[in-house]
Amino acid sequence: MTLGNAITGEAAGVPFTALPPAAGDEGRAPLVVTWHMLDAPRTHAAFAAALPLTGVHAWRVHLGLPWCAERSLPGGQDALWDKAREDMLMACLDPMARQAADEFPGVLAALRRRLPVDDGPLGLIGASYGGAVALRLLAGGRLPVAAVALVNAGIRVRTVMALTEETLGQPYAWSDAAEEAADRLDFVARAGEIAARDPQPPLLVVSGELDDPRLRRDAADLVAALGERYADPAHVRLVSVPGLDHPLAERPGVEPAPQLPLATVVDKEVTGWFTRHLRAG
């Protein structure tokens, strides 16, 4: 499958797939940036196909995570799993989220030079562990953000670690440094930092009904923690999608593929959220 109207390239060394606003739209448009899953879809191109958001009047730019697709380590997926077995949190998850967040200001500047996007607040979307990147930027408080959507997101890295322990079949040896990293990547605990933003960006949390119950609990906890702190609790919403498991595409989810019916449901929810809130931000 190809995305006929897509623009592909690199921005400050980060590969991307960009989808323009609908045909007939003129002038500069808002920018929505996404970070993909480590499950399917696990590349920026595959995520663009799974969640194209064609109804959103904005440029949707899907960024590649560190160590994925074109940025894979020498040795590819096997090398990434070797890093995971070495130290899943300190050698893999923490530096991945940190690098993706740290490189984003340069990426944003490069995108604004290349694409006809406006200089207004951004839309942020993160799915699975890509959600940790979006939340890290959101809690950091520097970038102007109009609206946010998370899909089956990694909201607490301790939950992600529990899941990876099961996948790898070995317990994780927690160190003081790992505990500190896990605190940085616990966005329920950091809900106060998100709510301290002015204005408070509307935030949608999409949770698959069949996703792991621990991830679903984290999604509910984040919405509850923000709802207590937001001036308008309606600006924080949790949506449960019946029948949706964790991935948004058929595995392995490396290449673009036709949108799955359940991904269409997610697309509709996210499109509605950004249609209501993107320009208002």
Side-chain angles (χ1 to χ4, degrees), residues 20-21 30 48 68 70 90 106 111 120 122 124 134 140 143 145 150 154 165 195 212 215 224 239 247-248 255 268-269:
C68 296
E70 299 97 322
M90 300 305 292
L111 289 172
L122 308 171
L124 302 180
L143 292 168
V145 177
L150 306 172
E165 282 181 322
D212 188 279
L215 293 174
V239 172
L248 291 177
E255 300 297 332
K268 182 178 179 181
E269 291 287 351

Side-chain angles (χ1 to χ4, degrees), residues 86-90 93-94 156-165 170-186:
E86 171 195 341
D87 189 326
M88 183 67 182
L89 179 52
M90 300 305 292
L93 295 178
D94 182 50
R156 286 180 169 123
V157 84
R158 286 184 176 88
T159 300
V160 179
M161 289 300 299
L163 297 173
T164 56
E165 282 181 322
Q170 60 188 43
Y172 183 67
W174 286 90
S175 64
D176 289 345
E179 293 284 1
E180 291 175 4
D183 289 343
R184 289 193 300 272
L185 292 165
D186 182 341

Side-chain angles (χ1 to χ4, degrees), residues 83-277:
K83 286 181 75 69
R85 292 186 182 93
E86 171 195 341
D87 189 326
M88 183 67 182
L89 179 52
M90 300 305 292
C92 190
L93 295 178
D94 182 50
M96 179 180 285
R98 183 174 62 250
Q99 180 178 333
D102 288 350
E103 69 194 6
F104 184 65
V107 172
L108 177 59
L111 289 172
R112 282 179 164 156
R113 287 192 298 269
R114 178 164 180 176
L115 302 174
V117 298
D118 66 27
D119 58 359
L122 308 171
L124 302 180
I125 299 173
S128 188
Y129 199 63
V133 178
L135 285 165
R136 186 171 182 137
L137 287 166
L138 190 63
R142 294 188 180 91
L143 292 168
V145 177
V148 184
L150 306 172
V151 182
N152 288 345
I155 292 167
R156 286 180 169 123
V157 84
R158 286 184 176 88
T159 300
V160 179
M161 289 300 299
L163 297 173
T164 56
E165 282 181 322
E166 295 171 5
T167 300
L168 295 173
Q170 60 188 43
Y172 183 67
W174 286 90
S175 64
D176 289 345
E179 293 284 1
E180 291 175 4
D183 289 343
R184 289 193 300 272
L185 292 165
D186 182 341
F187 296 101
V188 176
R190 297 182 67 182
E193 296 174 61
I194 297 171
R197 297 182 66 103
D198 185 18
Q200 294 173 322
L203 190 146
L204 172 70
V205 180
V206 179
S207 179
E209 179 188 49
L210 302 182
D211 199 7
D212 188 279
R214 291 164 287 188
L215 293 174
R216 287 177 55 77
R217 182 172 60 247
D218 289 351
D221 288 350
L222 177 62
V223 169
L226 291 176
E228 293 174 354
R229 294 170 170 86
Y230 264 46
D232 184 352
H235 277 185
V236 186
R237 184 179 177 216
L238 176 64
V239 172
S240 180
V241 177
L244 180 65
D245 205 329
H246 191 72
L248 291 177
E250 296 287 356
R251 292 175 174 133
V254 174
E255 300 297 332
Q259 190 180 49
L260 296 179
L262 286 172
T264 302
V265 176
V266 176
D267 192 300
K268 182 178 179 181
E269 291 287 351
V270 176
T271 293
W273 190 255
F274 280 99
T275 298
R276 288 193 295 276
H277 296 296

